[in-house]
Amino acid sequence: LLLSLLLLGRPGLGAPGQGAGTWSRFARLPYPQDQLFLHDTFPDGFLWGAGSAAYQTEGGWRQGGKGASVWDTFAHRPATPPGAAPPGPVGGDVASDSYNNLFRDVEGLRRLGVSHYRFSLSWARLLPNGTAPPNPAGLAHYGRLLARLRELGVEPVVTLYHWDLPQALQDAFGGWASPVLPQLFRDYAELCFRHFGGQVRYWLTMDNPYVVAWHGYGTGRLPPGVRGGPRLGYLAAHHLLQAHAKVWHLYNDHFRPAQRGKVSIALSSHWIKPQHMTEKNIKECQKSLDFVLGWFAKPIFIDGDYPESMRSNLSSLLPEFSEAEKKYIKGTADFFALSFGATLSFQLLDSHMKFQQLESISLRQLLYWINSEYNNPQIFIVENSWFVSGTTKRDDAKYIYYLKKFIMETLKAIRYDGVNVFGYTVWSLLDGFEWHRGYRIRRGLFYVDFQSHDKKLMPKSSVLFYEKVIEKNGFPPLPENQPIEGIFPCGFAWGIVDNYIQVDTTPAQFLDSSVYVWDVHQTKQLIKVDGVYASKRKRHCVDFAAIRLQVSLLQEMHVTHFHFSLKWSLILPLGNLSLINHTLVHYYQCFASELLRVNITPVVALWQPMIENQELPVSLAKYGAWENTETVQAFVEYARFCFTSLGDHVKFWITMNEPSVKNLTYTAGHNLLKAHAKVWHLYDKEFRRSQKGKISIALQADWVEPACPFSRNDQEVADRILEFDIGWLAEPIFGNGDYPEVMRAWLHRINSVDLYNFHLPYFSEDEKKLIQGSFDFFALSHYTTTLVGSEKEDAVKYDHYLEVQMINDITWLHSPSRAAVVPWGLRKLLKWVKSKYGDVPVYVMANGIDDDQNMVHDKLRVYYIQNYINEALKAYTLDNINLQGYFVYSFNDKTAPKYGLYSYVANQYEPKPSLKHYREIIDNNGFPGPETPELLCPEEVASCPECHFFRARKSLLAFISFIFVAFIVTIFFITYYSKRVKRRYK
């Protein structure tokens, strides 16, 4: 992967417009390797921190002589914007009450182990009227904070202005719309440098000037709420840039020599991707970034002037800098301070500035773009995170996975792309007032109960996550994440799955007994002679062309087993033996015998639910399906018929394949379990001795992982889902003969508390004995892993019945259908099965992923098969799981679209690269390495019924062979002596 990235190139010296190469570069990165999680660490000395803003967290709006800010005024207006002030606290009046809990906040920093803390000074607290004289109480407050940070060894990163302009300056001058503000801001900055500069190495002049200018003075969405349109918005931005430059020069000329600090500006940006990878769309993406980030970054980091795309599109709307101003603004940043996340992305970004392209949240690509566009600056991420619902308390799983994604993308930008990022800041340290969204969302690492009096900080799960990241300086490789070398045991079943085999019973031409005459003179066609028939010959399995094709395709895979399901609804259309489809039964017999002929073991399921009538005979589906106890007996009779008709060819039976618990009622599940058990006992008593086969049930078993690994609540939810999804049918068979106690307890709880009426039936003692132990092996189908949490975050993905929130780890690989690719989930599942049900023989009967008919995405299946099988090998080798077989899902795209190892296009089967990869693993019996001992397996003789014909007639065959040899020898001597006689006469 690193070689591929080097070949694609890392950014050289940047220049305006060079960032446009970002989209094409990332489109060419190797898939799926580039999207895999990167287990690595950050450079030594990397800065880890957390941040907050004064108005969001301080509160104390009337305490200590503080003056009013534009946000105070805005939040107290009678008609507040939607979401600005929900019921409860008003704006930032109290917020997290950090003003009165300074040491509480710092204790949170100590627990995290951060290297820096970003916070903002309240201009209105230090200068209540916006100008001198200063407020001693305000100076003392921030002095105490800086002193405490120094005691802990935490580096302060101080923002002079984070949106809370003193209201007095807005009233007197019109705020940032006035050319007077830059000088007033310089005066305020000088006060801060003089009082605090000796303790601060990193200064940020202001935060996110795009939001201040565009939404404060253009749209009026945010304070001071001036709806001045684009012209006033661009003018305010002009003054903000001038103000920033004045402060930088002030520090550079008067304070840097003594204080040795650095000054920059926190610029916020979104990320944008093209609708289509065309030159035109890429130019529009470039323009979008110019209009938001480049608006401020290009003047500061390149040449003192606005981006050319803005100049050419905005004409007279955009103010102009004089040449002297350009020189003055250019270079006024000692590092690139970047803010990226939930403040701007998908929220405060003006829709017109997307230029009809698609907003995205790729931090890595943004970092690469900045690197390319602005001459490889040192980048300090001073704000980054996402958010959770305002109702979420301490298990903030969604927040964790976004944080994980952003940190991992930063690491990739450093390690893969050569971007110079030296620090990262989570936003925010604690919950606070979230601007235009008020208290409806939370972004803090620490939970704050805004209704409480003392406002205690309570660590969320994200604190535990971020602590570990800081402690380990990233995501160092773990032994369990590394692939292992080794092989599976002799006789390991390597299989492939097809839901239902392709059935084509069209008779071959050789079975037609009619007589034809060839009209060679006129029509040149065969003409059937009426009333004349030849003698009929016996049908043979080779007459079915569809069987020959499918078997030859299976041979190409080198599999030892083939798993498919019978169609109950077609074999017994009426659900009983009164009508039997003998042609189909013969077809199945032929298919199984042809598999055996080429040493492939058929693995046959009696029933697999499908959408239409659950694949039951119509008469059964119409009258309650599995809700009806008559279906149980019908299934037993159907099974008896199948064992009788196919048992000589089939030695590996599945009673029911992947019964879907999502679509089962408790009554249906009850009857289904009894049906399975009766069929198992039927085989055990009447067929096992003569047919010498084995039989069990195959359950779908996806792994369920607690979304917050540190949360007891989430672990309880995961355990509950595993019991409802797997234990419901597994516990009666493989466990104690009854349903899991977790199920009964949960249903009792919700029936009594929430007035549900879910009845889980009871088995009699005889039924428990019947069901318990009705297995020869544990067969499971496993496709993916799901994260579950206890906190309700997204109503669409929340299950009220089981009180579980489905969560997505956005750092995982996903298929086109959004199935997560989580190989380690299989190993965890196999360990869980062993811990629950003992050392039972286990077969992974189906494991696969979908694609989108594009060969590029078959690379995902190659990765999937490689890594899932390797995790299975770990389970066998390291965990001593009694694993006896592994089957890939699925055979071909015709019967399972998008899942097949063979594509099916224009009536042709074509092997995908993943088939060849799977075949190589089969041929190696796993992943042998140089140190892997050679495994000598005895030659296996296939169970071939037809072979019995030859074994029983050895003597006859020997006699025929003797006669044939004698005949050849006689012919040889006759020919030889004939030639000698001819030569003698001559």
Side-chain angles (χ1 to χ4, degrees):
L1 176 58
L2 284 171
L3 178 61
S4 301
L5 290 163
L6 287 170
L7 290 173
L8 285 169
R10 292 184 173 186
L13 290 177
Q18 285 198 9
T22 302
W23 292 277
S24 59
R25 177 187 187 271
F26 280 87
R28 299 194 308 272
L29 291 179
Y31 177 87
Q33 288 79 8
D34 183 65
Q35 294 187 21
L36 298 177
F37 192 86
L38 175 59
H39 289 277
D40 202 347
T41 55
F42 284 80
D44 292 341
F46 191 81
L47 302 179
W48 295 102
S52 67
Y55 185 74
Q56 291 185 281
T57 60
E58 273 188 4
W61 78 294
R62 286 180 171 173
Q63 287 181 259
K66 177 185 174 294
S69 73
V70 291
W71 266 99
D72 291 318
T73 304
F74 193 77
H76 289 92
R77 293 188 311 174
T80 53
V90 176
D93 288 5
V94 179
S96 318
D97 201 22
S98 290
Y99 182 74
N100 296 303
N101 291 279
L102 184 150
F103 292 104
R104 174 204 67 179
D105 295 358
V106 175
E107 180 59 24
L109 295 168
R110 186 197 61 76
R111 169 169 179 168
L112 286 169
V114 296
S115 55
H116 69 273
Y117 177 45
R118 180 193 169 192
F119 64 95
S120 71
L121 306 174
S122 170
W123 190 347
R125 189 175 296 283
L126 292 171
L127 297 173
N129 295 314
T131 59
N135 174 20
L139 292 170
H141 171 73
Y142 293 117
R144 285 193 299 272
L145 174 56
L146 288 168
R148 182 60 179 148
L149 292 176
R150 185 171 66 251
E151 289 173 10
L152 293 178
V154 175
E155 188 81 54
V157 178
V158 181
T159 309
L160 293 170
Y161 169 60
H162 200 127
W163 305 7
D164 49 351
L165 183 73
Q167 183 62 42
L169 299 183
Q170 181 64 33
D171 293 340
F173 304 105
W176 290 108
S178 168
V180 175
L181 259 289
Q183 182 58 42
L184 297 178
F185 185 59
R186 181 196 178 281
D187 296 341
Y188 161 60
E190 184 174 4
L191 170 74
C192 297
F193 293 154
R194 290 193 185 282
H195 278 271
F196 310 125
Q199 302 174 73
V200 179
R201 282 201 308 151
Y202 293 99
W203 289 97
L204 300 173
T205 56
M206 58 186 69
D207 181 88
N208 204 339
Y210 166 86
V211 168
V212 175
W214 192 252
H215 291 303
Y217 295 87
T219 67
R221 286 185 63 187
L222 298 179
V226 179
R227 298 180 182 177
R231 185 179 298 277
L232 192 61
Y234 291 123
L235 181 63
H238 203 69
H239 296 151
L240 285 163
L241 278 165
Q242 291 171 331
H244 159 77
K246 279 181 178 290
V247 170
W248 187 90
H249 282 286
L250 167 69
Y251 189 86
N252 193 57
D253 295 343
H254 301 284
F255 294 95
R256 192 189 301 275
Q259 296 179 0
R260 300 176 183 272
K262 296 182 178 182
V263 179
S264 189
I265 178 173
L267 299 180
S268 188
S269 184
H270 62 307
W271 182 247
I272 199 88
K273 62 182 182 181
Q275 292 253 18
H276 306 285
M277 283 296 292
T278 63
E279 186 177 347
K280 179 184 177 183
N281 283 359
I282 288 174
K283 283 183 178 179
E284 294 299 286
C285 289
Q286 181 79 2
K287 188 193 300 183
S288 176
L289 292 173
D290 280 346
F291 268 66
V292 179
L293 179 57
W295 184 3
F296 301 92
K298 183 174 174 287
I300 294 170
F301 289 92
I302 299 297
D303 60 6
D305 202 1
Y306 297 115
E308 181 55 37
S309 58
M310 293 185 74
R311 284 247 164 258
S312 59
N313 279 271
L314 297 174
S315 183
S316 60
L317 282 176
L318 199 62
E320 292 191 8
F321 292 115
S322 66
E323 290 303 315
E325 287 176 321
K326 291 178 186 177
K327 291 179 182 178
Y328 191 71
I329 292 172
K330 177 184 175 182
T332 55
D334 301 322
F335 55 90
F336 197 113
L338 175 65
S339 168
F340 181 78
T343 301
L344 184 65
S345 296
F346 296 96
Q347 284 295 316
L348 293 175
L349 175 64
D350 192 286
S351 59
H352 295 96
M353 293 184 182
K354 297 179 188 178
F355 296 99
Q356 299 181 330
Q357 305 309 307
L358 304 173
E359 198 171 354
S360 175
I361 53 170
S362 176
L363 175 57
R364 178 186 171 189
Q365 293 187 48
L366 175 61
L367 290 169
Y368 185 88
W369 186 88
I370 291 170
N371 211 38
S372 302
E373 192 79 6
Y374 302 120
N375 199 18
N376 304 335
Q378 285 189 309
I379 300 175
F380 191 174
I381 298 173
V382 295
E383 175 183 344
N384 179 237
S385 74
W386 208 240
F387 64 91
V388 292
S389 165
T391 60
T392 299
K393 292 183 171 60
R394 298 177 64 178
D395 291 333
D396 53 343
K398 174 183 167 185
Y399 186 92
I400 287 176
Y401 291 110
Y402 273 93
L403 203 58
K404 181 181 173 186
K405 167 188 165 67
F406 291 137
I407 295 173
M408 188 264 292
E409 288 193 347
T410 304
L411 181 59
K412 284 185 176 181
I414 294 169
R415 296 302 187 196
Y416 288 168
D417 308 327
V419 181
N420 186 0
V421 184
F422 69 89
Y424 180 88
T425 312
V426 167
W427 201 268
S428 61
L429 174 64
L430 66 166
D431 291 333
F433 175 74
E434 290 300 332
W435 308 118
H436 62 295
R437 286 187 279 185
Y439 297 97
R440 299 187 191 279
I441 66 168
R442 293 177 181 268
R443 295 185 67 191
L445 292 167
F446 287 90
Y447 176 80
V448 176
D449 181 356
F450 296 112
Q451 305 297 332
S452 68
H453 175 71
D454 55 6
K455 305 288 189 298
K456 284 184 179 179
L457 289 193
M458 291 181 281
K460 302 181 189 177
S461 292
S462 53
V463 165
L464 302 173
F465 168 78
Y466 194 43
E467 271 180 348
K468 287 189 176 295
V469 172
I470 295 172
E471 178 188 341
K472 298 178 183 295
N473 198 33
F475 310 102
L478 300 172
E480 58 265 34
N481 295 330
Q482 306 305 309
I484 66 166
E485 295 176 342
I487 55 177
F488 289 92
C490 292
F492 191 78
W494 291 104
I496 191 74
V497 186
D498 206 355
N499 290 334
Y500 297 100
I501 59 173
Q502 179 187 345
V503 175
D504 184 357
T505 57
T506 303
Q509 60 180 356
F510 306 110
L511 297 178
D512 189 354
S513 60
S514 301
V515 175
Y516 296 84
V517 174
W518 186 12
D519 183 1
V520 296
H521 299 292
Q522 296 181 7
T523 63
K524 309 291 185 183
Q525 295 180 347
L526 292 173
I527 299 174
K528 185 177 180 181
V529 180
D530 295 333
V532 180
Y533 299 96
S535 59
K536 289 187 177 181
R537 74 165 176 82
K538 186 179 177 181
R539 290 174 179 264
H540 298 289
C541 290
V542 292
D543 294 327
F544 295 119
I547 292 179
R548 294 200 304 274
L549 174 60
Q550 291 178 81
V551 171
S552 67
L553 294 175
L554 290 167
Q555 283 183 280
E556 283 294 310
M557 293 185 182
H558 297 183
V559 293
T560 62
H561 291 64
F562 179 51
H563 173 31
F564 63 93
S565 300
L566 304 176
K567 288 203 169 188
W568 183 6
S569 62
L570 297 183
I571 293 175
L572 302 179
L574 299 181
N576 55 48
L577 300 178
S578 64
L579 179 62
I580 301 171
N581 187 338
H582 289 288
T583 303
L584 180 59
V585 173
H586 178 63
Y587 187 91
Y588 284 134
Q589 290 170 338
C590 286
F591 197 98
S593 65
E594 287 299 298
L595 288 174
L596 291 170
R597 187 178 60 81
V598 296
N599 292 326
I600 297 176
T601 301
V603 181
V604 180
L606 294 170
W607 174 73
Q608 177 171 340
M610 298 297 281
I611 295 175
E612 187 176 357
N613 293 327
Q614 301 181 53
E615 193 41 53
L616 295 172
V618 174
S619 58
L620 297 175
K622 189 183 295 183
Y623 293 101
W626 288 107
E627 297 271 341
N628 190 339
T629 55
E630 292 185 9
T631 303
V632 175
Q633 191 55 40
F635 184 65
V636 174
E637 293 307 312
Y638 161 63
R640 183 190 302 276
F641 173 77
C642 292
F643 295 152
T644 304
S645 304
L646 302 173
D648 288 340
H649 307 284
V650 179
K651 311 300 179 186
F652 199 141
W653 290 100
I654 301 293
T655 56
M656 300 163 176
N657 193 50
E658 297 185 26
S660 174
V661 296
K662 305 294 184 187
N663 300 318
L664 275 182
T665 64
Y666 292 124
T667 301
H670 200 69
N671 289 333
L672 188 146
L673 282 165
K674 290 191 285 187
H676 155 77
K678 288 185 176 184
V679 167
W680 186 89
H681 283 283
L682 168 69
Y683 189 84
D684 189 54
K685 292 176 182 176
E686 299 184 24
F687 296 94
R688 190 189 298 277
R689 178 172 296 183
S690 60
Q691 296 181 359
K692 296 180 172 54
K694 53 188 175 183
I695 184 169
S696 196
I697 187 172
L699 303 176
Q700 181 162 341
D702 289 333
W703 181 242
V704 180
E705 185 80 1
C708 292
F710 320 103
S711 166
R712 182 181 299 176
N713 292 336
D714 284 10
Q715 184 62 60
E716 288 178 0
V717 169
D719 292 341
R720 180 160 68 244
I721 300 304
L722 284 170
E723 295 293 359
F724 270 83
D725 283 1
I726 305 173
W728 176 8
L729 300 181
E731 184 65 30
I733 298 170
F734 300 93
N736 61 13
D738 201 357
Y739 296 115
E741 184 56 38
V742 169
M743 284 186 73
R744 288 214 183 275
W746 181 257
L747 292 174
H748 176 75
R749 173 189 170 282
I750 63 171
N751 286 340
S752 59
V753 174
D754 299 324
L755 302 180
Y756 285 109
N757 187 24
F758 294 109
H759 173 63
L760 188 62
Y762 286 86
F763 293 114
S764 67
E765 290 303 314
D766 287 342
E767 287 173 334
K768 289 180 183 179
K769 291 177 182 177
L770 178 78
I771 296 170
Q772 185 181 20
S774 57
F775 68 90
D776 295 333
F777 50 87
F778 196 116
L780 59 90
S781 300
H782 175 83
Y783 302 99
T784 189
T785 291
T786 305
L787 291 171
V788 295
S790 55
E791 294 271 9
K792 183 178 179 180
E793 178 66 36
D794 180 354
V796 175
K797 296 181 179 179
Y798 186 78
D799 185 332
H800 290 272
Y801 169 51
L802 293 175
E803 295 182 10
V804 56
Q805 176 70 61
M806 302 300 172
I807 301 288
N808 181 34
D809 183 341
I810 53 177
T811 67
W812 285 350
L813 275 177
H814 287 83
S815 73
S817 69
R818 302 305 298 161
V821 179
V822 192
W824 52 258
L826 174 59
R827 183 182 176 190
K828 285 199 170 187
L829 172 68
L830 294 172
K831 290 169 71 174
W832 181 84
V833 169
K834 182 177 181 179
S835 69
K836 288 278 293 181
Y837 307 118
D839 192 28
V840 58
V842 179
Y843 288 85
V844 177
M845 295 301 298
N847 180 236
I849 197 73
D850 62 290
D851 61 31
D852 62 357
Q853 311 296 333
N854 186 329
M855 279 303 178
V856 171
H857 284 86
D858 194 55
K859 292 179 180 178
L860 177 62
R861 185 177 287 108
V862 169
Y863 171 84
Y864 183 99
I865 291 173
Q866 169 85 12
N867 287 276
Y868 272 85
I869 295 178
N870 199 264
E871 291 295 321
L873 180 62
K874 291 177 187 178
Y876 168 72
T877 306
L878 305 177
D879 307 325
N880 295 316
I881 306 298
N882 188 4
L883 185 62
Q884 300 198 358
Y886 172 88
F887 293 65
V888 166
Y889 182 83
S890 161
F891 180 18
N892 63 75
D893 283 343
K894 183 176 182 180
T895 51
K898 301 184 179 182
Y899 282 86
L901 297 193
Y902 281 101
S903 63
Y904 184 76
V905 181
N907 296 322
Q908 294 291 321
Y909 291 95
E910 291 293 334
K912 299 178 184 178
S914 51
L915 183 149
K916 298 172 184 177
H917 189 71
Y918 184 41
R919 182 171 61 201
E920 183 180 332
I921 295 173
I922 294 173
D923 291 344
N924 290 322
N925 200 31
F927 308 95
E931 306 299 321
T932 304
E934 186 177 358
L935 185 66
L936 297 176
C937 296
E939 195 75 25
E940 290 191 13
V941 179
S943 175
C944 175
E946 285 78 9
C947 297
H948 179 71
F949 173 89
F950 299 102
R951 288 195 294 268
R953 295 166 175 79
K954 284 182 181 179
S955 300
L956 176 61
L957 290 172
F959 176 76
I960 292 172
S961 300
F962 172 79
I963 295 298
F964 179 77
V965 171
F967 174 79
I968 295 297
V969 171
T970 301
I971 295 297
F972 171 80
F973 280 114
I974 291 172
T975 305
Y976 176 78
Y977 283 108
S978 295
K979 289 182 179 179
R980 288 191 63 179
V981 169
K982 285 182 181 179
R983 283 199 295 271
R984 184 182 300 169
Y985 279 105
K986 287 182 181 178

